[in-house]
Amino acid sequence: MNKLLLLTLSSLTLFAGGAIEGEVQRQPLNVSAIIMFLVFVAATLGITYWAAKRTKTAKDFYTAGGGITGFQNGLAIAGDFMSAASFLGISGLVYLKGYDGLIYSIGFLVGWPIILFLVAERLRNLGKYTFADVASFRLKQTPIRTLAAFGSIATVTLYLIAQMVGSGKLIQILFGLPYELAVILVGVLMILYVTFGGMLATTWVQIIKAGLLLSGATFMAIAVMAHFGFSFEALFAKAVEVHPSHNAIMSPGGLVSDPISAISLGIALMFGTAGLPHILMRFFTVADAKEARKSVFYATGFIGYFYVLTFIIGFGAVVMVMTNPQYLDAAGKIIGGNNMAAIHLSHAVGGNFFLGFISAVAFATILAVVSGLTLAGASAISHDLYANVFRRGRVDEVQEMRISKIATIVMGIVAILLGIAFEKQNIAFMVGLAFAIAASANFPVLFLSMFWKKLTTRGAVIGGSLGLATAVMLVILGPIVWQQILGFKEAIFPYKYPALFSVTVAFVGIWFFSITDKSEDAQKEQEAFEAQDIRSQTGIGAEGAVSH
Amino acid sequence: MTKEMIEHIRNNPKYQMLVKKRSRFAWTLSIIMLVVYYAFILTIAFDPQLLGTPLGEGKVTTVGIPVGIAIIIIAFALTGVYVKRANSEFDDLSREVKAELEKELAKDAS
């Protein structure tokens, strides 16, 4: 069972957990991969230069001036979601366990329609730069923004560490570069993109990468299907024949073992997605609610299509990688671990050149995702903490921009240092924790601020903090940290996904401390709901969304 | 937003219709998605073999494959259904509410 837990998490955590853990073997320098990667870097730096000339105001920096179209934003959101974790992790999970990989993909996808129906357009109509704008719309700025900024920075930092460590190890394997150099390279490039090009450069880097990744994965999936005369039955039949688990790979295999874990995982994936600051921020880059809706439609389409591709790629790897001694070590295990299944398959279907292409795309994927994360973290520091909490909104734009650039550089350096510090640590819990915090602190406050009239500052601050504390505590007491990292015999909290409990605590806490809040301020906050609701429903008064 | 504007919009029958229609539509679609997803997840938790049943005699492909693909397609289709209606019917209504508001504010001012 433990093995299964680890495996599940490894797909969530960008190969931080299972396969690429601890020491990894450096591969010989891969020249075609490096050349293609350099081409990508040169192109994206060119875009950054172009974007820098167009990034003059704070609005440009945080939201690309609100001028991204729904289609472009859809691709960028899909790009944020199609991280190296999804591509390599889920195809690796399919390679190892078959059907279970699909269960994971579906969990990641189904949050999107809900975000569209309930959150996307209200968010666009109420917010300016960060989701804290929305949460603090009619509540007290200082406490709400502090809480939201804290939730954002915690989520972003945990996610960044996992990405940095994953990228260092991946680059070590793919390109044969030393770990520290890889981490520094990623950090420096992301600082350049974000500091100079702001959201415009970050978005276009993400769009280009999404295009490359979708094309590469499409080519691989078609190559696999062509091999089997485009018959799924033939592909599955061969996979079942060669896979050591045989028929078991065609049915659910214990990824989700009990109803509590199942529901808890579902809640973490669904509400966590709706509480990730770098994803929420993307809704402010489009002109109005109409474009915001379109972006989710395109994003859901691209993400869904991508998950179907990874499923085919995983099965393709079972047939073409598992049976080929070229990709296996002396013990018959896949070289580099299960998360390398897609990489080896790229060699099997397209030779050295295509292997180089896919490796370069995997590196580009990491760069694009960490840039979005850093921008979201820097915005929480400069827009929420500095401009609105520390200076109480009395700050000019030039100064706020300057702070956001300094914050970007600091976040980048911190990410590099933490990436190096955590090289040999077990970081399997980090993305899970990031999702848990997003679902239990960010999401409940954001959601209730838009939907519940009776929400008060006191309720939001106490309930949100309780959710945050519960999520952190249950992860520490759970099987991953308590048992596997701290080495205790039995976990105090038996489930590895705390979301069901911590999200409940947050909602109940917010409800209770709001309805018992009889202060004068609370009454004013409740009275202000109507004006907020009208704006969220119609866009009247919203930034850049007014037609006259 | 002034008290006056709020009053006008709140009493506008088109605004009331917009809010009522849209929230019913959004919640209905959300519930459909949640029911589909949790039906899938609970099947996995309680009766995983159901999804492992082969599609036919001598076939390797199991029921779970088309079911999984169908959920992905349903998720995409639901977003399409929502966007189509919201970007036409709801946006039109919303525009009309704004136009009427401006007219009434102008009338009040004169």
Side-chain angles (χ1 to χ4, degrees):
Chain A
M1 191 62 212
N2 261 337
K3 222 170 162 187
L4 253 181
L5 294 183
L6 250 183
L7 185 136
T8 314
L9 263 150
S10 66
S11 68
L12 240 185
T13 50
L14 200 154
F15 30 73
I20 309 184
E21 190 165 74
E23 294 285 340
V24 288
Q25 216 185 337
R26 261 175 70 185
Q27 299 293 305
L29 226 54
N30 181 338
V31 178
S32 63
I34 291 179
I35 292 173
M36 267 179 271
F37 177 68
L38 288 179
V39 171
F40 175 82
V41 169
T44 48
L45 286 177
I47 286 171
T48 307
Y49 177 74
W50 164 82
K53 287 197 291 188
R54 278 159 187 77
T55 302
K56 298 206 168 66
T57 62
K59 189 176 156 79
D60 294 334
F61 183 80
Y62 293 125
T63 66
I68 304 289
T69 68
F71 180 79
Q72 292 163 348
N73 195 40
L75 253 183
I77 290 174
D80 274 330
F81 238 57
M82 299 184 294
S83 58
S86 311
F87 179 52
L88 303 179
I90 293 185
S91 55
L93 190 61
V94 174
Y95 173 81
L96 190 66
K97 301 285 300 176
Y99 192 76
D100 278 358
L102 190 62
I103 301 175
Y104 236 102
S105 312
I106 289 173
F108 275 114
L109 186 72
V110 293
W112 282 105
I114 310 283
I115 291 179
L116 170 67
F117 306 149
L118 302 178
V119 180
E121 53 195 279
R122 286 165 190 264
L123 201 67
R124 179 65 196 84
N125 283 339
L126 292 174
K128 213 170 143 196
Y129 301 149
T130 63
F131 84 89
D133 291 337
V134 181
S136 66
F137 195 86
R138 68 190 155 99
L139 306 180
K140 275 200 211 65
Q141 296 287 317
T142 305
I144 298 292
R145 283 206 190 256
T146 310
L147 175 73
F150 193 72
S152 297
I153 295 167
T155 314
V156 162
T157 309
L158 288 164
Y159 225 113
L160 258 180
I161 295 175
Q163 298 281 338
M164 291 307 262
V165 174
S167 70
K169 297 201 168 156
L170 180 69
I171 291 162
Q172 220 172 343
I173 289 181
L174 293 182
F175 296 85
L177 297 175
Y179 178 86
E180 286 80 8
L181 183 68
V183 168
I184 292 171
L185 194 63
V186 169
V188 168
L189 282 171
M190 108 193 158
I191 290 174
L192 287 176
Y193 294 150
V194 179
T195 322
F196 292 105
M199 183 53 111
L200 190 58
T202 306
T203 303
W204 277 102
V205 168
Q206 194 61 275
I207 291 173
I208 292 173
K209 163 237 133 166
L212 290 174
L213 183 54
L214 282 170
S215 331
T218 303
F219 174 77
M220 281 165 80
I222 290 177
V224 167
M225 292 313 290
H227 197 81
F228 291 96
F230 293 94
S231 154
F232 278 102
E233 177 67 22
L235 168 67
F236 294 145
K238 183 73 185 166
V240 163
E241 187 195 317
V242 300
H243 198 286
S245 308
H246 297 296
N247 271 308
I249 60 170
M250 297 307 295
S251 47
L255 175 73
V256 197
S257 47
D258 61 294
I260 302 263
S261 294
I263 293 168
S264 206
L265 173 67
I267 287 177
L269 293 180
M270 205 174 254
F271 297 162
T273 306
L276 290 176
H278 65 295
I279 300 269
L280 293 171
M281 211 176 160
R282 291 225 170 270
F283 288 107
F284 306 124
T285 66
V286 293
D288 51 30
K290 187 182 208 137
E291 295 299 314
R293 289 182 209 116
K294 277 196 217 159
S295 29
V296 187
F297 170 68
Y298 289 121
T300 312
F302 286 128
I303 296 169
Y305 171 66
F306 177 72
Y307 284 150
V308 173
L309 295 181
T310 52
F311 191 63
I312 297 172
I313 289 170
F315 270 94
V318 169
V319 176
M320 299 165 100
V321 173
M322 206 177 266
T323 53
N324 189 336
Q326 192 186 347
Y327 307 118
L328 308 174
D329 61 18
K333 292 265 182 224
I334 182 167
I335 296 170
N338 293 314
N339 288 316
M340 288 293 118
I343 302 285
H344 291 311
L345 181 68
S346 71
H347 185 261
V349 300
N352 265 328
F353 180 79
F354 192 63
L355 169 73
F357 176 77
I358 288 293
S359 304
V361 169
F363 196 174
T365 295
I366 292 169
L367 269 180
V369 172
V370 293
S371 301
L373 286 167
T374 306
L375 181 61
S379 310
I381 294 172
S382 60
H383 181 62
D384 295 326
L385 287 183
Y386 176 78
N388 284 297
V389 173
F390 183 64
R391 299 288 299 266
R392 316 255 156 191
R394 288 187 300 269
V395 60
D396 63 84
E397 229 171 80
V398 181
Q399 182 67 2
E400 187 177 331
M401 282 267 280
R402 221 171 58 105
I403 297 293
S404 61
K405 289 187 176 183
I406 296 172
T408 305
I409 296 169
V410 172
M411 291 253 353
I413 294 171
V414 169
I416 292 172
L417 294 178
L418 289 176
I420 293 173
F422 279 86
E423 181 189 352
K424 303 219 161 54
Q425 306 297 315
N426 183 341
I427 52 155
F429 63 97
M430 281 190 181
V431 169
L433 183 57
F435 261 83
I437 292 177
S440 335
N442 304 351
F443 175 74
V445 173
L446 178 68
F447 183 79
L448 291 177
S449 77
M450 294 191 292
F451 280 90
W452 193 42
K453 184 181 173 182
K454 296 206 167 104
L455 175 74
T456 71
T457 302
R458 187 178 86 162
V461 170
I462 299 180
S465 311
L466 283 175
L468 181 81
T470 312
V472 173
M473 211 173 61
L474 293 184
V475 167
I476 293 175
L477 298 180
I480 317 264
V481 175
W482 199 255
Q483 222 172 318
Q484 285 163 22
I485 297 180
L486 298 176
F488 289 100
K489 220 170 161 190
E490 208 160 315
I492 296 173
F493 176 72
Y495 305 105
K496 64 182 186 298
Y497 306 111
L500 177 60
F501 304 93
S502 54
V503 171
T504 310
V505 165
F507 272 104
V508 170
I510 294 174
W511 168 77
F512 180 77
F513 289 101
S514 290
I515 55 155
T516 54
D517 188 353
K518 300 290 178 206
S519 66
E520 220 172 281
D521 286 346
Q523 208 181 339
K524 271 191 209 140
E525 286 163 1
Q526 290 168 356
E527 278 164 10
F529 179 76
E530 194 155 25
Q532 179 198 316
D533 194 44
I534 288 174
R535 174 165 161 176
S536 79
Q537 299 268 9
T538 61
I540 294 173
E543 187 77 13
V546 189
S547 56
H548 43 81
Chain B
M1 210 172 290
T2 61
K3 269 223 164 70
E4 199 191 1
M5 281 166 84
I6 295 173
E7 202 59 31
H8 278 308
I9 296 175
R10 186 169 52 184
N11 294 327
N12 186 329
K14 277 188 181 148
Y15 175 72
Q16 292 162 356
M17 191 162 78
L18 169 70
V19 171
K20 202 172 135 195
K21 272 192 180 171
R22 185 168 49 198
S23 61
R24 188 186 298 162
F25 191 50
W27 283 106
T28 309
L29 293 183
S30 302
I31 289 166
I32 294 174
M33 191 71 251
L34 288 172
V35 166
V36 166
Y37 177 59
Y38 279 103
F40 176 66
I41 282 291
L42 291 176
T43 310
I44 292 165
F46 287 112
D47 190 8
Q49 281 323 306
L50 193 65
L51 292 169
T53 319
L55 271 182
E57 196 71 21
K59 288 222 173 187
V60 179
T61 312
T62 52
V63 177
I65 304 284
V67 167
I69 303 292
I71 295 175
I72 293 177
I73 293 171
I74 289 170
F76 181 56
L78 287 178
T79 60
V81 168
Y82 181 81
V83 169
K84 190 156 194 297
R85 188 163 171 202
N87 280 2
S88 53
E89 188 185 337
F90 298 151
D91 269 359
D92 289 346
L93 262 176
S94 175
R95 239 190 317 274
E96 283 166 35
V97 170
K98 278 182 217 170
E100 283 176 17
L101 173 73
E102 270 170 38
K103 226 188 291 165
E104 283 182 53
L105 289 176
K107 204 168 67 190
D108 288 356
S110 65

